[in-house]
Amino acid sequence: MQALVLVGGRGTRLLPLTETVPKPVLPLVDRPFLVFFLEWLGDHGVDDVVLACGFRPEVMQEVLADWAGDLPSLTWVVEDEPLGTAGAMRHALGHLEDEFLALNGDLLSDFDLGELIRFHREKGARATLGLKEVDDPGPYGLVELGPAGEVLGFSEKPEDPSALPPPPWLVNAGTYVLDRSIIEELPPGEALSIERDVFPRLAGDGMYGLGLEGYWMDIGTPERYLQATWDVLEGRLETSVPVRTDGVLVHDGSEVSPTATVGPRVVVGEGCTVVEGADVRGSVLLSGAVIGPKASVVDSILGGDAVVSDGELVEGEVRGQAPVVQNRGRDAR
Ligand code: GDD
Ligand code: MG
């Protein structure tokens, strides 16, 4: 099975971490995020991945090179200018098979993609959207379903809460099975959004949706990136990362003073320094961050070049840039 993965977004909600490193290869727990993603696809029979990218593809290639032997085969399609989620698919048309999975590249999930593909074929659908039930549909694409699973309406990031239908709310989980003809019909070279320009038009015309059970998280905001980190460490989805009930992972090659408090829920990356009396909670320190004496870091993500000075309190912040390359196979303690 083939999958087209959208990895060309700018990742603005995670700035400044994503200033030089694209969101899909930010480190998550102990590896580049996209490695979790590609392992998920590989576990569901995907053997051919087309990566639709734009921002710094060379960084993604460099980061993933270490993992190549364990991942499905990758084809890189690069946009000179961002073409939007549908424009990017049109740009990759020459690589697409008649039926393919299409996915947003910022999802951490264990959804059963095989179930989505089976449903799509049973319905003879042109497009099938994987859906997730949520408490707040505001940041997502809200989908209205008919009794046979047909999509009646699609509204991207609904703004007016008073206009929402009654719950339960099923939203677009960024996981689709698509017929190539949908992409063929789009004009080439134009910026187009699959959520705003294509899906609303396909409602009632062979588009279906299927609610999926399991873990699902879009890692594209600081809060969700942190939650995904704790979910991996605490085993809320199955990965090859050993479960740690306190959610604490300290990588080898970091220095943590015995008088510092680290945890609950902390990742200390390689080459970080946490000196005496410092207090770090609910936070991720990426390789190289330095936390000064008696400083506190709470619910924050700090890039490799971040320095927190003596006695400073950092709370709910994203600071510094992510490190570019992650070497594989370093042990954690
Ligand atoms: N190649 C390419 N070109 N990729 C792009 C572009 C582009 O111009 N713009 C965005 N992407 C990629 C992003 O890298 C990301 O992987 C994916 O498309 C979705 O973009 P986001 O910016 O993360 O969208 P979102 O999270 O606000 O909303 C989307 O995902 C929700 C689920 O997490 C929508 O699909 C919503 O409908 C959906 O509910
Ligand atoms: Mg997203």
Side-chain angles (χ1 to χ4, degrees):
M1 187 76 188
Q2 182 184 60
L4 170 68
V5 182
L6 296 168
V7 285
R10 199 47 203 84
T12 45
R13 290 165 290 186
L14 285 168
L15 281 170
L17 287 182
T18 45
E19 214 150 87
T20 49
V21 175
K23 171 170 72 170
V25 292
L26 282 181
L28 187 80
V29 183
D30 66 348
R31 64 195 73 178
F33 164 73
L34 209 52
V35 171
F36 287 108
F37 184 94
L38 293 170
E39 284 174 343
W40 169 49
L41 298 192
D43 287 347
H44 288 85
V46 172
D47 52 2
D48 168 16
V49 173
V50 178
L51 290 164
C53 45
F55 176 62
R56 305 208 71 178
E58 73 287 356
V59 174
M60 290 202 261
Q61 287 163 351
E62 184 185 353
V63 171
L64 289 183
D66 269 0
W67 302 79
D70 297 338
L71 302 176
S73 93
L74 305 177
T75 303
W76 302 82
V77 180
V78 182
E79 290 146 60
D80 294 333
E81 294 295 326
L83 288 171
T85 46
M89 293 189 199
R90 179 64 182 80
H91 187 63
L93 183 69
H95 298 275
L96 297 180
E97 292 177 359
D98 288 343
E99 176 195 76
F100 59 97
L101 281 163
L103 301 110
N104 290 345
D106 58 358
L107 305 174
L108 180 69
S109 179
D110 59 9
F111 275 178
D112 181 355
L113 297 171
E115 186 186 349
L116 192 67
I117 296 165
R118 283 192 297 278
F119 181 85
H120 176 82
R121 291 177 183 164
E122 270 163 35
K123 294 289 179 188
R126 296 187 73 205
T128 300
L129 316 185
L131 307 175
K132 174 77 181 169
E133 192 178 327
V134 295
D135 296 333
D136 171 17
Y140 304 110
L142 180 62
V143 174
E144 240 185 293
L145 282 189
E150 70 277 25
V151 174
L152 302 176
F154 187 104
S155 60
E156 179 64 9
K157 303 198 171 71
E159 271 168 21
D160 178 4
S162 66
L164 290 176
W169 293 305
L170 286 169
V171 298
N172 170 23
T175 54
Y176 324 124
V177 187
L178 300 180
D179 190 302
R180 188 176 190 272
S181 65
I182 291 173
I183 308 304
E184 254 164 17
E185 288 163 6
L186 301 175
E190 277 184 31
L192 291 168
S193 155
I194 196 103
E195 298 87 350
R196 295 183 194 275
D197 301 319
V198 178
F199 290 158
R201 191 166 50 73
L202 274 180
D205 185 18
M207 180 156 73
Y208 287 78
L210 177 67
L212 294 169
E213 297 293 324
Y215 183 88
W216 179 83
M217 181 77 73
D218 170 330
I219 62 139
T221 67
E223 297 73 25
R224 299 199 299 243
Y225 171 93
L226 286 170
Q227 188 59 51
T229 302
W230 320 135
D231 291 341
V232 169
L233 279 174
E234 295 162 16
R236 274 183 283 281
L237 82 162
E238 206 175 308
T239 70
S240 53
V241 176
V243 173
R244 290 154 190 265
T245 44
D246 59 355
V248 174
L249 177 66
V250 179
H251 283 79
D252 273 354
S254 55
E255 273 178 52
V256 177
S257 158
T259 63
T261 309
V262 169
R265 292 187 159 179
V266 168
V267 174
V268 180
E270 208 180 304
C272 291
T273 309
V274 182
V275 306
E276 66 274 6
D279 176 17
V280 185
R281 278 172 284 141
S283 298
V284 172
L285 312 181
L286 297 172
S287 309
V290 177
I291 313 301
K294 298 206 169 61
S296 296
V297 179
V298 184
D299 300 338
S300 295
I301 312 169
L302 302 189
D305 55 346
V307 176
V308 177
S309 24
D310 307 9
E312 193 182 348
L313 167 65
V314 176
E315 188 164 5
E317 262 192 56
V318 180
R319 193 186 276 196
Q321 294 186 18
V324 171
V325 178
Q326 285 221 296
N327 291 321
R328 182 169 188 188
R330 298 286 167 85
D331 290 335
R333 57 176 189 252

